[in-house]
């Protein structure tokens, strides 16, 4: 029986592949689909937090397949579009993205790709149609397909770099802080004496795709990165290090360093020196806010809504460092039994969260939140409505985030720890301040004639019970 999903936050596999490819400098996506597929992805993400890439919305090259292409096949239209794109748009690599229509019709996209490659053009394709899965699926599979083919279309010498580390599992767009998090991971790895092969962001580009085969190891920071790392392992014997989430704080950085020392030849003295500096930085900042945690009652009951990696990243920190009780975690990505990935974070989730749920249906998510009776929500902008109904603060930390620009801020590493604390404190303070103002306004409106203010900070309300109210606290006491 079919059912309606309210406010789904994950697009299709094509959207995931497109969001991935368009965030790699020098890579040009070519969408073999109807005119709406790329535009719908753009409209769905245009109000989200991270801005737009060079190829987005109406500027994405595409075949704009029509009814006749569905009936008679669209291979010739694809051939024409690839040639025109190469003439008009300069790129280091062109990636053809398949769609539901072309997959159902049976267009031979591989043949079109080989034809163009034989003419000396750097073109690869991915046959991941939209109906194959969601955004996360598209991210994994387009990278895997690129790594399977890139050496044939853009050959580079195989020169192993014992310090180079491939970074996977940070999905562009799906992690609102992805750009800043890539920068922070690069900073941490460089602190270990390593080089980060990022692929995405300001410090990544198309050359990183070809250079990935020369890495000493691939680190996967969520289950959604295992497949491309596996392809590189099978083709080029690059070992894989699986991590449940991005590190937050010094203890996580220590664990990451320990795992890398067991697999690579590293200068342990250099790593120790880096960690000591990070530890000093973190202690100084946490020391400055220790009173705030107590005075503002920040050890609240919280519920987290978001992707598994983000939930682990934020949840463990909140419990261990701030004393927050995680009454529930709602995962919005890994929704069913996962046989494609080795990663199983069930025990980790249970270690910091009282309950773990899986859902993408906003109505169901709202019902879970309501039943969990939290004092604060860590989620997306989609949880704003339920937060308002329950009159509790919302800390926006997961996709999608509207009305906030996030293009360089991180919530990973020690810098991310600071970011999480700042955001949490600010949201709670603003919420409490607005609540006090609202209560004060309501009391004044009860009867303006009996309310008057004194210089001692008290607003007096005369009544048969003789109540008085202090404006700073707005607590009611017998007088």
């Amino acid at each position: 029986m079919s059912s309606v999903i309210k406010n789904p936050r994950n697009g299709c596999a094509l959207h995931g592949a497109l969001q991935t490819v368009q965030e790699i400098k020098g890579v040009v996506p070519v969408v073999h689909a109807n005119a709406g597929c790329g535009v719908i992805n753009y409209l769905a993400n245009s109000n989200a937090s991270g801005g737009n890439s060079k190829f987005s919305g109406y500027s994405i090259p595409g075949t704009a397949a029509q009814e006749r292409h569905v009936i008679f096949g669209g291979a010739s239209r694809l051939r024409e579009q690839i040639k025109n794109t190469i003439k008009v748009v300069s790129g280091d690599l062109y990636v053809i993205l398949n769609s539901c229509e072309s997959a159902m019709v049976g267009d031979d996209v591989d043949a079109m790709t080989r034809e163009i490659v034989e003419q000396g053009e750097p073109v690869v394709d991915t046959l991941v149609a939209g109906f194959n899965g969601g955004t996360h699926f598209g991210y994994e599979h387009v990278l895997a397909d690129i790594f399977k083919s890139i050496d044939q279309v853009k050959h580079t010498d195989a020169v192993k770099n014992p310090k180079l580390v491939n970074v996977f599992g940070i999905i562009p767009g799906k992690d609102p802080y992805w750009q800043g998090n890539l920068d922070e991971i690069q900073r941490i790895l460089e602190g270990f004496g390593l080089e980060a092969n990022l692929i995405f962001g300001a410090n990544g580009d198309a050359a990183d795709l070809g250079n990935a085969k020369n890495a000493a190891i691939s680190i996967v920071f969520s289950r959604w990165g295992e497949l491309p790392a596996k392809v590189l392992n099978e083709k080029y014997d690059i070992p894989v290090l699986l991590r449940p989430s991005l590190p937050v704080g010094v203890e996580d950085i220590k664990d990451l360093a320990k795992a890398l020392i067991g697999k690579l030849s590293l200068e342990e003295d250099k790593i120790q020196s880096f960690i000591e500096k990070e530890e000093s930085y973190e202690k100084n900042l946490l020391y400055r806010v220790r009173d705030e945690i107590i005075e503002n009652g920040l050890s609240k009951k919280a519920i987290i809504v978001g992707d598994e990696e983000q939930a682990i990243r934020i949840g463990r920190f909140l419990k261990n460092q701030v004393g927050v009780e995680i009454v529930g975690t709602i995962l919005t990505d890994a929704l069913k039994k996962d046989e494609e990935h080795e990663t199983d974070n069930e025990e980790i989730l249970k270690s910091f969260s009282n309950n773990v749920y899986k859902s993408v249906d906003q109505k169901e998510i709202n019902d879970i939140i309501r039943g969990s009776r939290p004092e604060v929500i860590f989620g997306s902008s989609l949880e704003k409505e339920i937060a308002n109904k329950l009159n509790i603060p919302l800390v926006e930390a997961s996709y999608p985030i509207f009305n906030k620009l996030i293009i360089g801020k991180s919530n990973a590493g020690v810098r991310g720890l600071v970011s999480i604390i700042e955001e949490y404190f600010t949201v709670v303070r603003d919420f409490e301040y607005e609540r006090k103002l609202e209560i004060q306004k309501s009391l004044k409106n009860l009867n303006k004639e009996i309310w008057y203010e004194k210089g001692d900070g008290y607003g007096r309300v005369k009544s048969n019970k003789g109540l008085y109210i202090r404006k700073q606290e707005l607590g009611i006491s017998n007088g």
Side-chain angles (χ1 to χ4, degrees):
M1 181 178 178
S2 62
S3 59
V4 176
I5 298 177
K6 181 180 180 182
N7 290 348
R9 63 193 73 200
N10 298 321
C12 67
L14 170 60
H15 290 167
L18 177 56
Q19 288 175 213
T20 300
V21 170
Q22 67 188 17
E23 296 295 353
I24 307 174
K25 283 187 296 186
V27 177
V28 181
V30 180
V31 179
H32 184 32
N34 65 67
C37 283
V39 174
I40 289 173
N41 181 63
Y42 167 72
L43 294 175
N45 292 287
S46 60
N47 290 326
S49 58
N52 297 309
S53 62
K54 178 180 179 181
F55 297 106
S56 62
Y58 308 104
S59 67
I60 299 172
T63 56
Q66 300 178 27
E67 185 177 355
R68 65 178 181 274
H69 301 125
V70 175
I71 297 173
F72 301 108
S76 60
R77 175 70 190 95
L78 176 59
R79 180 191 294 111
E80 176 188 13
Q81 182 60 47
I82 297 171
K83 292 180 178 179
N84 289 340
T85 300
I86 292 173
K87 289 179 183 177
V88 175
V89 183
S90 177
D92 297 315
L93 181 69
Y94 299 84
V95 180
I96 302 171
L97 304 176
N98 206 24
S99 67
C100 299
E101 296 95 332
S102 57
M104 289 188 292
V105 172
D107 286 342
D108 196 344
V109 177
D110 276 343
M112 292 299 100
T113 303
R114 288 194 301 271
E115 180 181 310
I116 302 298
V117 170
E118 288 170 359
Q119 297 172 17
E121 301 296 347
V123 180
V124 299
D125 64 72
T126 178
L127 300 181
V128 180
F131 52 65
N132 287 131
T135 306
H136 307 79
F137 183 95
Y139 161 83
E140 272 205 316
H141 282 262
V142 72
L143 285 179
D145 288 343
I146 290 173
F147 290 136
K148 289 175 184 177
S149 306
I150 192 170
D151 210 35
Q152 285 75 48
V153 303
K154 212 171 170 56
H155 181 73
T156 55
D157 293 335
V159 182
K160 286 290 183 180
N161 183 345
K163 300 296 185 182
L164 189 63
V165 177
N166 292 324
V167 176
F168 297 117
I170 304 175
I171 305 179
K174 287 303 293 178
D175 179 353
Y177 295 87
W178 68 273
Q179 297 176 86
N181 286 342
L182 282 172
D183 293 342
E184 179 68 0
I185 290 301
Q186 181 179 34
R187 189 188 69 82
I188 292 170
L189 292 176
E190 288 177 351
F192 293 169
L194 297 169
E195 302 172 27
N197 196 45
L198 298 177
I199 301 174
F200 307 100
N203 299 319
D205 56 30
D208 293 345
L209 294 169
N211 201 30
K213 67 181 180 184
N214 294 321
I217 195 171
S218 295
I219 303 180
V220 181
F221 286 106
S222 74
R223 72 176 65 229
W224 308 110
E226 285 188 26
L227 185 59
K230 182 180 179 182
V231 170
L232 291 173
N233 175 259
E234 293 173 348
K235 286 178 67 70
Y236 306 108
D237 197 30
I238 299 174
V240 179
L241 175 61
L242 301 179
R243 305 293 296 172
S245 71
L246 292 170
V248 174
V250 170
E251 291 304 315
D252 283 356
I253 293 175
K254 287 180 181 178
D255 288 343
L256 177 61
K258 183 178 180 181
L260 286 169
I261 289 172
K263 293 181 177 291
L264 302 177
S265 176
L266 299 175
E267 299 177 34
E268 295 190 34
D269 290 344
K270 183 173 185 177
I271 292 176
Q272 184 60 34
S273 176
F274 173 76
I275 289 177
E276 286 175 359
K277 291 178 181 178
E278 295 293 286
E279 198 162 25
S280 175
Y281 184 86
E282 179 182 298
K283 284 182 177 179
N284 176 62
L285 291 165
L286 290 178
Y287 183 82
R288 295 176 66 87
V289 298
R290 68 196 188 285
D291 293 337
E292 299 280 354
I293 294 175
I294 299 172
E295 292 174 3
N296 289 279
L298 293 172
S299 299
K300 298 179 180 294
K301 294 182 178 180
I303 192 164
I304 301 174
V305 185
D307 286 358
E308 181 182 81
E309 185 277 324
Q310 296 164 31
I312 294 173
R313 186 198 322 164
I314 297 170
R316 289 197 297 187
F317 164 71
L318 289 174
K319 179 179 180 180
N320 297 335
Q321 297 283 12
V322 189
V324 174
E325 180 186 356
I326 311 299
V327 295
T329 299
I330 306 173
L331 306 180
T332 57
D333 55 341
L335 303 179
K336 57 184 179 181
K337 186 176 181 181
D338 192 345
E339 298 178 354
E340 277 196 338
H341 302 94
E342 294 180 27
T343 302
D344 183 358
N345 293 322
E346 185 176 350
E347 292 304 316
I348 295 176
L349 290 162
K350 289 180 179 179
S351 70
F352 68 83
S353 181
N354 297 351
N355 298 285
V356 180
Y357 310 92
K358 298 179 180 182
S359 180
V360 291
D361 181 5
Q362 194 62 51
K363 182 181 182 305
E364 184 177 10
I365 290 172
N366 289 350
D367 289 341
I368 294 171
I369 293 173
R370 190 178 291 107
S372 300
R373 303 177 67 84
E375 296 172 298
V376 60
I377 301 171
F378 288 82
S380 72
S381 295
L382 297 178
E383 280 68 63
K384 186 67 175 176
E385 181 181 351
I386 185 64
N388 289 339
K389 287 183 177 179
L390 297 178
N391 195 28
I392 58 176
L394 167 66
V395 181
E396 295 179 330
S398 63
Y399 176 87
I401 295 177
F402 307 130
N403 306 317
K404 182 189 294 185
L405 183 63
I406 306 172
I407 55 174
K409 197 173 184 180
S410 170
N411 63 359
V414 171
R415 303 302 187 273
L417 175 148
V418 176
S419 176
I420 295 172
I421 289 178
E422 287 176 341
E423 184 77 7
Y424 183 28
F425 282 23
T426 300
V427 169
V428 171
R429 279 180 169 180
D430 284 349
F431 178 83
E432 293 297 334
Y433 179 71
E434 292 296 328
R435 187 175 67 90
K436 289 178 180 179
L437 290 180
E438 185 178 341
I439 294 173
Q440 181 179 343
K441 182 178 178 180
S442 298
L443 289 169
K444 285 184 177 181
N445 289 335
L446 287 175
N447 191 328
K448 293 183 178 180
E449 294 181 358
I450 64 172
W451 173 277
Y452 65 97
E453 300 187 23
K454 292 175 64 70
D456 61 1
Y458 285 82
R460 311 286 183 176
V461 176
K462 295 181 179 179
S463 71
N464 56 353
K465 293 184 179 179
L467 300 178
Y468 67 86
I469 298 160
R470 187 175 183 181
K471 289 199 296 181
Q472 287 90 331
E473 299 176 357
L474 286 174
I476 299 178
S477 305
N478 290 325

